[in-house]
PDB file of all heavy atoms in Angstrom:
ATOM      1  N   LEU A 306      69.835  75.784  67.685  1.00 98.00           N
ATOM      2  CA  LEU A 306      69.696  75.403  66.287  1.00 98.00           C
ATOM      3  C   LEU A 306      68.443  76.058  65.725  1.00 98.00           C
ATOM      4  O   LEU A 306      67.504  76.373  66.454  1.00 98.00           O
ATOM      5  CB  LEU A 306      69.603  73.882  66.142  1.00 98.00           C
ATOM      6  CG  LEU A 306      70.784  73.055  66.659  1.00 98.00           C
ATOM      7  CD1 LEU A 306      70.540  71.567  66.409  1.00 98.00           C
ATOM      8  CD2 LEU A 306      72.089  73.479  66.019  1.00 98.00           C
ATOM      9  N   TYR A 307      68.437  76.269  64.408  1.00 97.00           N
ATOM     10  CA  TYR A 307      67.359  77.009  63.745  1.00 97.00           C
ATOM     11  C   TYR A 307      66.364  76.028  63.121  1.00 97.00           C
ATOM     12  O   TYR A 307      66.729  75.252  62.234  1.00 97.00           O
ATOM     13  CB  TYR A 307      67.952  77.901  62.646  1.00 97.00           C
ATOM     14  CG  TYR A 307      67.202  79.183  62.391  1.00 97.00           C
ATOM     15  CD1 TYR A 307      67.765  80.407  62.721  1.00 97.00           C
ATOM     16  CD2 TYR A 307      65.939  79.183  61.823  1.00 97.00           C
ATOM     17  CE1 TYR A 307      67.090  81.600  62.472  1.00 97.00           C
ATOM     18  CE2 TYR A 307      65.258  80.352  61.576  1.00 97.00           C
ATOM     19  CZ  TYR A 307      65.837  81.563  61.899  1.00 97.00           C
ATOM     20  OH  TYR A 307      65.160  82.733  61.659  1.00 97.00           O
ATOM     21  N   PRO A 308      65.107  76.024  63.564  1.00 97.00           N
ATOM     22  CA  PRO A 308      64.128  75.085  63.004  1.00 97.00           C
ATOM     23  C   PRO A 308      63.716  75.469  61.590  1.00 97.00           C
ATOM     24  O   PRO A 308      63.985  76.584  61.126  1.00 97.00           O
ATOM     25  CB  PRO A 308      62.946  75.202  63.973  1.00 97.00           C
ATOM     26  CG  PRO A 308      63.045  76.591  64.499  1.00 97.00           C
ATOM     27  CD  PRO A 308      64.520  76.903  64.592  1.00 97.00           C
ATOM     28  N   ALA A 309      63.053  74.536  60.905  1.00 96.00           N
ATOM     29  CA  ALA A 309      62.566  74.806  59.549  1.00 96.00           C
ATOM     30  C   ALA A 309      61.243  74.092  59.341  1.00 96.00           C
ATOM     31  O   ALA A 309      61.158  72.877  59.499  1.00 96.00           O
ATOM     32  CB  ALA A 309      63.582  74.347  58.512  1.00 96.00           C
ATOM     33  N   HIS A 310      60.226  74.856  59.006  1.00 96.00           N
ATOM     34  CA  HIS A 310      58.919  74.289  58.668  1.00 96.00           C
ATOM     35  C   HIS A 310      58.613  74.464  57.185  1.00 96.00           C
ATOM     36  O   HIS A 310      57.565  74.015  56.704  1.00 96.00           O
ATOM     37  CB  HIS A 310      57.822  74.946  59.506  1.00 96.00           C
ATOM     38  CG  HIS A 310      57.981  74.700  60.968  1.00 96.00           C
ATOM     39  ND1 HIS A 310      58.146  75.711  61.888  1.00 96.00           N
ATOM     40  CD2 HIS A 310      58.042  73.535  61.672  1.00 96.00           C
ATOM     41  CE1 HIS A 310      58.270  75.184  63.109  1.00 96.00           C
ATOM     42  NE2 HIS A 310      58.215  73.883  63.000  1.00 96.00           N
ATOM     43  N   ALA A 311      59.529  75.130  56.478  1.00 95.00           N
ATOM     44  CA  ALA A 311      59.409  75.287  55.034  1.00 95.00           C
ATOM     45  C   ALA A 311      60.797  75.483  54.454  1.00 95.00           C
ATOM     46  O   ALA A 311      61.681  76.050  55.100  1.00 95.00           O
ATOM     47  CB  ALA A 311      58.517  76.474  54.680  1.00 95.00           C
ATOM     48  N   LEU A 312      60.998  74.988  53.253  1.00 95.00           N
ATOM     49  CA  LEU A 312      62.256  75.183  52.528  1.00 95.00           C
ATOM     50  C   LEU A 312      61.931  75.686  51.135  1.00 95.00           C
ATOM     51  O   LEU A 312      60.918  75.303  50.538  1.00 95.00           O
ATOM     52  CB  LEU A 312      63.039  73.873  52.424  1.00 95.00           C
ATOM     53  CG  LEU A 312      63.621  73.286  53.707  1.00 95.00           C
ATOM     54  CD1 LEU A 312      64.264  71.930  53.422  1.00 95.00           C
ATOM     55  CD2 LEU A 312      64.640  74.231  54.317  1.00 95.00           C
ATOM     56  N   GLY A 313      62.798  76.545  50.613  1.00 93.00           N
ATOM     57  CA  GLY A 313      62.554  77.063  49.276  1.00 93.00           C
ATOM     58  C   GLY A 313      63.799  77.634  48.648  1.00 93.00           C
ATOM     59  O   GLY A 313      64.847  77.758  49.287  1.00 93.00           O
ATOM     60  N   TYR A 314      63.696  77.962  47.384  1.00 89.00           N
ATOM     61  CA  TYR A 314      64.822  78.521  46.651  1.00 89.00           C
ATOM     62  C   TYR A 314      64.332  79.696  45.819  1.00 89.00           C
ATOM     63  O   TYR A 314      63.155  79.777  45.471  1.00 89.00           O
ATOM     64  CB  TYR A 314      65.455  77.469  45.736  1.00 89.00           C
ATOM     65  CG  TYR A 314      64.488  76.865  44.741  1.00 89.00           C
ATOM     66  CD1 TYR A 314      64.253  77.459  43.504  1.00 89.00           C
ATOM     67  CD2 TYR A 314      63.790  75.703  45.052  1.00 89.00           C
ATOM     68  CE1 TYR A 314      63.349  76.919  42.604  1.00 89.00           C
ATOM     69  CE2 TYR A 314      62.882  75.153  44.158  1.00 89.00           C
ATOM     70  CZ  TYR A 314      62.671  75.755  42.930  1.00 89.00           C
ATOM     71  OH  TYR A 314      61.769  75.226  42.045  1.00 89.00           O
ATOM     72  N   GLU A 315      65.243  80.585  45.507  1.00 82.00           N
ATOM     73  CA  GLU A 315      64.946  81.685  44.593  1.00 82.00           C
ATOM     74  C   GLU A 315      65.687  81.422  43.301  1.00 82.00           C
ATOM     75  O   GLU A 315      66.905  81.279  43.281  1.00 82.00           O
ATOM     76  CB  GLU A 315      65.374  83.019  45.187  1.00 82.00           C
ATOM     77  CG  GLU A 315      64.403  83.545  46.224  1.00 82.00           C
ATOM     78  CD  GLU A 315      64.678  84.997  46.560  1.00 82.00           C
ATOM     79  OE1 GLU A 315      65.784  85.306  46.984  1.00 82.00           O
ATOM     80  OE2 GLU A 315      63.769  85.826  46.416  1.00 82.00           O
ATOM     81  N   LEU A 316      64.956  81.338  42.231  1.00 81.00           N
ATOM     82  CA  LEU A 316      65.529  80.993  40.942  1.00 81.00           C
ATOM     83  C   LEU A 316      64.927  81.865  39.857  1.00 81.00           C
ATOM     84  O   LEU A 316      63.712  81.877  39.656  1.00 81.00           O
ATOM     85  CB  LEU A 316      65.251  79.518  40.649  1.00 81.00           C
ATOM     86  CG  LEU A 316      65.688  78.978  39.285  1.00 81.00           C
ATOM     87  CD1 LEU A 316      67.188  79.151  39.093  1.00 81.00           C
ATOM     88  CD2 LEU A 316      65.291  77.520  39.164  1.00 81.00           C
ATOM     89  N   VAL A 317      65.776  82.612  39.175  1.00 79.00           N
ATOM     90  CA  VAL A 317      65.339  83.431  38.046  1.00 79.00           C
ATOM     91  C   VAL A 317      66.065  82.936  36.807  1.00 79.00           C
ATOM     92  O   VAL A 317      67.294  82.900  36.774  1.00 79.00           O
ATOM     93  CB  VAL A 317      65.631  84.927  38.292  1.00 79.00           C
ATOM     94  CG1 VAL A 317      65.256  85.752  37.065  1.00 79.00           C
ATOM     95  CG2 VAL A 317      64.864  85.417  39.508  1.00 79.00           C
ATOM     96  N   ALA A 318      65.325  82.514  35.817  1.00 77.00           N
ATOM     97  CA  ALA A 318      65.880  81.952  34.589  1.00 77.00           C
ATOM     98  C   ALA A 318      65.838  82.981  33.460  1.00 77.00           C
ATOM     99  O   ALA A 318      65.077  83.951  33.518  1.00 77.00           O
ATOM    100  CB  ALA A 318      65.098  80.701  34.196  1.00 77.00           C
ATOM    101  N   PRO A 319      66.652  82.780  32.422  1.00 80.00           N
ATOM    102  CA  PRO A 319      66.663  83.725  31.290  1.00 80.00           C
ATOM    103  C   PRO A 319      65.305  83.790  30.610  1.00 80.00           C
ATOM    104  O   PRO A 319      64.494  82.863  30.721  1.00 80.00           O
ATOM    105  CB  PRO A 319      67.722  83.121  30.357  1.00 80.00           C
ATOM    106  CG  PRO A 319      68.564  82.252  31.225  1.00 80.00           C
ATOM    107  CD  PRO A 319      67.648  81.709  32.275  1.00 80.00           C
ATOM    108  N   PRO A 320      65.055  84.865  29.874  1.00 80.00           N
ATOM    109  CA  PRO A 320      63.773  85.008  29.163  1.00 80.00           C
ATOM    110  C   PRO A 320      63.586  83.901  28.125  1.00 80.00           C
ATOM    111  O   PRO A 320      64.550  83.333  27.612  1.00 80.00           O
ATOM    112  CB  PRO A 320      63.899  86.377  28.485  1.00 80.00           C
ATOM    113  CG  PRO A 320      64.968  87.097  29.251  1.00 80.00           C
ATOM    114  CD  PRO A 320      65.914  86.041  29.711  1.00 80.00           C
ATOM    115  N   THR A 321      62.347  83.600  27.842  1.00 77.00           N
ATOM    116  CA  THR A 321      62.031  82.644  26.780  1.00 77.00           C
ATOM    117  C   THR A 321      61.946  83.382  25.458  1.00 77.00           C
ATOM    118  O   THR A 321      62.031  84.614  25.390  1.00 77.00           O
ATOM    119  CB  THR A 321      60.692  81.947  27.071  1.00 77.00           C
ATOM    120  OG1 THR A 321      59.642  82.924  27.051  1.00 77.00           O
ATOM    121  CG2 THR A 321      60.717  81.259  28.432  1.00 77.00           C
ATOM    122  N   ASP A 322      61.748  82.609  24.388  1.00 73.00           N
ATOM    123  CA  ASP A 322      61.618  83.231  23.056  1.00 73.00           C
ATOM    124  C   ASP A 322      60.370  84.091  22.951  1.00 73.00           C
ATOM    125  O   ASP A 322      60.293  84.995  22.126  1.00 73.00           O
ATOM    126  CB  ASP A 322      61.586  82.144  21.975  1.00 73.00           C
ATOM    127  CG  ASP A 322      62.896  81.378  21.885  1.00 73.00           C
ATOM    128  OD1 ASP A 322      63.924  81.941  22.307  1.00 73.00           O
ATOM    129  OD2 ASP A 322      62.869  80.220  21.420  1.00 73.00           O
ATOM    130  N   ASP A 323      59.380  83.785  23.806  1.00 77.00           N
ATOM    131  CA  ASP A 323      58.099  84.486  23.733  1.00 77.00           C
ATOM    132  C   ASP A 323      58.044  85.745  24.596  1.00 77.00           C
ATOM    133  O   ASP A 323      57.064  86.487  24.557  1.00 77.00           O
ATOM    134  CB  ASP A 323      56.964  83.556  24.161  1.00 77.00           C
ATOM    135  CG  ASP A 323      56.877  82.320  23.292  1.00 77.00           C
ATOM    136  OD1 ASP A 323      57.229  82.434  22.094  1.00 77.00           O
ATOM    137  OD2 ASP A 323      56.484  81.258  23.805  1.00 77.00           O
ATOM    138  N   SER A 324      59.091  85.974  25.416  1.00 77.00           N
ATOM    139  CA  SER A 324      59.049  87.118  26.327  1.00 77.00           C
ATOM    140  C   SER A 324      60.446  87.653  26.582  1.00 77.00           C
ATOM    141  O   SER A 324      61.429  86.917  26.524  1.00 77.00           O
ATOM    142  CB  SER A 324      58.415  86.677  27.662  1.00 77.00           C
ATOM    143  OG  SER A 324      58.499  87.715  28.622  1.00 77.00           O
ATOM    144  N   ASP A 325      60.515  88.952  26.872  1.00 80.00           N
ATOM    145  CA  ASP A 325      61.795  89.588  27.190  1.00 80.00           C
ATOM    146  C   ASP A 325      62.053  89.604  28.693  1.00 80.00           C
ATOM    147  O   ASP A 325      63.124  90.013  29.136  1.00 80.00           O
ATOM    148  CB  ASP A 325      61.814  91.029  26.665  1.00 80.00           C
ATOM    149  CG  ASP A 325      61.794  91.090  25.140  1.00 80.00           C
ATOM    150  OD1 ASP A 325      62.285  90.131  24.521  1.00 80.00           O
ATOM    151  OD2 ASP A 325      61.286  92.087  24.589  1.00 80.00           O
ATOM    152  N   GLU A 326      61.069  89.184  29.477  1.00 82.00           N
ATOM    153  CA  GLU A 326      61.200  89.238  30.931  1.00 82.00           C
ATOM    154  C   GLU A 326      61.843  87.976  31.485  1.00 82.00           C
ATOM    155  O   GLU A 326      61.642  86.878  30.967  1.00 82.00           O
ATOM    156  CB  GLU A 326      59.818  89.435  31.571  1.00 82.00           C
ATOM    157  CG  GLU A 326      59.157  90.755  31.228  1.00 82.00           C
ATOM    158  CD  GLU A 326      57.844  90.936  31.970  1.00 82.00           C
ATOM    159  OE1 GLU A 326      57.464  90.023  32.734  1.00 82.00           O
ATOM    160  OE2 GLU A 326      57.209  91.982  31.783  1.00 82.00           O
ATOM    161  N   MET A 327      62.631  88.165  32.563  1.00 80.00           N
ATOM    162  CA  MET A 327      63.219  87.024  33.258  1.00 80.00           C
ATOM    163  C   MET A 327      62.104  86.168  33.864  1.00 80.00           C
ATOM    164  O   MET A 327      61.073  86.679  34.290  1.00 80.00           O
ATOM    165  CB  MET A 327      64.167  87.501  34.358  1.00 80.00           C
ATOM    166  CG  MET A 327      65.356  88.309  33.874  1.00 80.00           C
ATOM    167  SD  MET A 327      66.549  87.311  32.961  1.00 80.00           S
ATOM    168  CE  MET A 327      67.348  86.434  34.311  1.00 80.00           C
ATOM    169  N   GLN A 328      62.323  84.868  33.917  1.00 77.00           N
ATOM    170  CA  GLN A 328      61.333  83.953  34.488  1.00 77.00           C
ATOM    171  C   GLN A 328      61.606  83.744  35.977  1.00 77.00           C
ATOM    172  O   GLN A 328      62.693  83.320  36.346  1.00 77.00           O
ATOM    173  CB  GLN A 328      61.406  82.586  33.800  1.00 77.00           C
ATOM    174  CG  GLN A 328      61.218  82.608  32.304  1.00 77.00           C
ATOM    175  CD  GLN A 328      61.363  81.218  31.740  1.00 77.00           C
ATOM    176  OE1 GLN A 328      60.455  80.390  31.833  1.00 77.00           O
ATOM    177  NE2 GLN A 328      62.521  80.943  31.161  1.00 77.00           N
TER     178      GLN A 328
END
Side-chain angles (χ1 to χ4, degrees):
L306 300 181
Y307 211 111
H310 297 120
L312 292 175
Y314 57 87
E315 282 193 302
L316 176 59
V317 176
T321 64
D322 295 337
D323 301 329
S324 173
D325 293 332
E326 296 184 359
M327 298 290 284
Q328 303 178 77

